[in-house]
mmCIF file of all heavy atoms in Angstrom:
data_model
loop_
_atom_site.group_PDB
_atom_site.id
_atom_site.type_symbol
_atom_site.label_atom_id
_atom_site.label_comp_id
_atom_site.label_asym_id
_atom_site.label_seq_id
_atom_site.Cartn_x
_atom_site.Cartn_y
_atom_site.Cartn_z
ATOM 1 N N PHE A 1921 51.116 -3.649 173.355
ATOM 2 C CA PHE A 1921 50.850 -2.650 172.325
ATOM 3 C C PHE A 1921 49.595 -2.982 171.586
ATOM 4 O O PHE A 1921 49.444 -4.142 171.224
ATOM 5 C CB PHE A 1921 52.025 -2.518 171.255
ATOM 6 C CG PHE A 1921 53.308 -1.911 171.851
ATOM 7 C CD1 PHE A 1921 54.337 -1.837 171.029
ATOM 8 C CD2 PHE A 1921 53.223 -1.235 173.026
ATOM 9 C CE1 PHE A 1921 55.446 -1.154 171.573
ATOM 10 C CE2 PHE A 1921 54.347 -0.681 173.580
ATOM 11 C CZ PHE A 1921 55.448 -0.594 172.741
ATOM 12 N N SER A 1962 49.948 -6.844 170.714
ATOM 13 C CA SER A 1962 51.398 -7.434 170.529
ATOM 14 C C SER A 1962 52.223 -7.028 171.542
ATOM 15 O O SER A 1962 52.089 -5.967 172.147
ATOM 16 C CB SER A 1962 51.850 -7.047 169.106
ATOM 17 O OG SER A 1962 52.027 -5.690 168.960
ATOM 18 N N LYS A 1963 53.227 -7.830 171.880
ATOM 19 C CA LYS A 1963 54.228 -7.451 172.913
ATOM 20 C C LYS A 1963 55.483 -6.967 172.214
ATOM 21 O O LYS A 1963 56.014 -7.625 171.331
ATOM 22 C CB LYS A 1963 54.506 -8.580 173.770
ATOM 23 C CG LYS A 1963 55.273 -8.345 175.121
ATOM 24 C CD LYS A 1963 55.331 -9.600 175.968
ATOM 25 C CE LYS A 1963 55.980 -9.287 177.275
ATOM 26 N NZ LYS A 1963 55.115 -8.465 178.068
ATOM 27 N N GLN A 1964 55.938 -5.804 172.686
ATOM 28 C CA GLN A 1964 57.160 -5.289 172.170
ATOM 29 C C GLN A 1964 58.408 -6.247 172.388
ATOM 30 O O GLN A 1964 58.554 -6.782 173.485
ATOM 31 C CB GLN A 1964 57.442 -3.871 172.733
ATOM 32 C CG GLN A 1964 58.761 -3.302 172.069
ATOM 33 C CD GLN A 1964 58.952 -1.902 172.601
ATOM 34 O OE1 GLN A 1964 58.449 -1.524 173.624
ATOM 35 N NE2 GLN A 1964 59.746 -0.973 172.032
ATOM 36 N N GLY A 1965 59.217 -6.482 171.346
ATOM 37 C CA GLY A 1965 60.353 -7.327 171.627
ATOM 38 C C GLY A 1965 61.271 -6.778 172.528
ATOM 39 O O GLY A 1965 61.458 -5.547 172.619
ATOM 40 N N ILE A 1966 62.241 -7.745 172.908
ATOM 41 C CA ILE A 1966 63.308 -7.150 173.903
ATOM 42 C C ILE A 1966 64.225 -6.442 172.945
ATOM 43 O O ILE A 1966 64.579 -6.895 171.943
ATOM 44 C CB ILE A 1966 64.010 -8.307 174.594
ATOM 45 C CG1 ILE A 1966 63.012 -9.003 175.647
ATOM 46 C CG2 ILE A 1966 65.220 -7.930 175.263
ATOM 47 C CD1 ILE A 1966 63.504 -10.241 176.123
ATOM 48 N N ILE A 1967 64.755 -5.350 173.426
ATOM 49 C CA ILE A 1967 65.725 -4.526 172.505
ATOM 50 C C ILE A 1967 67.132 -4.386 173.261
ATOM 51 O O ILE A 1967 67.951 -3.654 172.711
ATOM 52 C CB ILE A 1967 65.205 -3.117 172.268
ATOM 53 C CG1 ILE A 1967 64.919 -2.342 173.649
ATOM 54 C CG2 ILE A 1967 63.976 -3.094 171.357
ATOM 55 C CD1 ILE A 1967 64.586 -0.916 173.329
ATOM 56 N N GLY A 1968 67.460 -5.314 173.971
ATOM 57 C CA GLY A 1968 68.650 -5.350 174.741
ATOM 58 C C GLY A 1968 68.664 -5.803 176.105
ATOM 59 O O GLY A 1968 67.666 -5.821 176.714
ATOM 60 N N ASP A 1973 68.258 -0.398 178.084
ATOM 61 C CA ASP A 1973 67.527 -0.727 176.854
ATOM 62 C C ASP A 1973 65.967 -0.824 177.086
ATOM 63 O O ASP A 1973 65.331 -0.816 175.937
ATOM 64 C CB ASP A 1973 67.979 -2.036 176.372
ATOM 65 C CG ASP A 1973 69.379 -2.040 175.856
ATOM 66 O OD1 ASP A 1973 69.739 -0.951 175.262
ATOM 67 O OD2 ASP A 1973 70.204 -3.105 175.997
ATOM 68 N N PRO A 1975 62.388 0.052 177.131
ATOM 69 C CA PRO A 1975 61.716 1.322 176.623
ATOM 70 C C PRO A 1975 60.904 2.056 177.710
ATOM 71 O O PRO A 1975 60.406 1.387 178.552
ATOM 72 C CB PRO A 1975 60.899 0.786 175.529
ATOM 73 C CG PRO A 1975 60.612 -0.669 175.773
ATOM 74 C CD PRO A 1975 61.912 -1.089 176.562
ATOM 75 N N GLU A 2170 64.089 -14.947 171.912
ATOM 76 C CA GLU A 2170 63.754 -13.535 172.169
ATOM 77 C C GLU A 2170 64.837 -12.820 172.766
ATOM 78 O O GLU A 2170 65.232 -11.637 172.322
ATOM 79 C CB GLU A 2170 62.405 -13.509 172.885
ATOM 80 C CG GLU A 2170 62.055 -12.001 173.041
ATOM 81 C CD GLU A 2170 61.801 -11.313 171.824
ATOM 82 O OE1 GLU A 2170 61.284 -11.882 170.766
ATOM 83 O OE2 GLU A 2170 61.976 -10.089 171.663
ATOM 84 N N LEU A 2173 67.534 -12.335 170.005
ATOM 85 C CA LEU A 2173 67.246 -11.304 169.158
ATOM 86 C C LEU A 2173 67.219 -9.931 169.752
ATOM 87 O O LEU A 2173 67.620 -8.989 169.030
ATOM 88 C CB LEU A 2173 65.762 -11.690 168.660
ATOM 89 C CG LEU A 2173 65.508 -12.746 167.851
ATOM 90 C CD1 LEU A 2173 63.840 -12.903 167.648
ATOM 91 C CD2 LEU A 2173 66.083 -12.584 166.519
ATOM 92 N N GLY A 2174 66.965 -9.858 171.093
ATOM 93 C CA GLY A 2174 67.135 -8.508 171.691
ATOM 94 C C GLY A 2174 68.544 -8.150 171.718
ATOM 95 O O GLY A 2174 68.885 -6.950 171.574
ATOM 96 N N ARG A 2177 69.339 -6.714 168.408
ATOM 97 C CA ARG A 2177 68.718 -5.474 168.177
ATOM 98 C C ARG A 2177 69.650 -4.329 168.900
ATOM 99 O O ARG A 2177 69.774 -3.312 168.335
ATOM 100 C CB ARG A 2177 67.402 -5.448 168.867
ATOM 101 C CG ARG A 2177 66.271 -6.272 168.044
ATOM 102 C CD ARG A 2177 64.854 -6.110 168.586
ATOM 103 N NE ARG A 2177 64.030 -7.032 168.016
ATOM 104 C CZ ARG A 2177 63.450 -7.949 168.720
ATOM 105 N NH1 ARG A 2177 63.735 -8.245 169.985
ATOM 106 N NH2 ARG A 2177 62.643 -8.959 168.137
#
Side-chain angles (χ1 to χ4, degrees):
F1921 284 173
S1962 61
K1963 194 173 182 66
Q1964 184 178 17
I1966 296 173
I1967 58 174
D1973 288 328
E2170 182 57 34
L2173 290 171
R2177 292 187 189 108

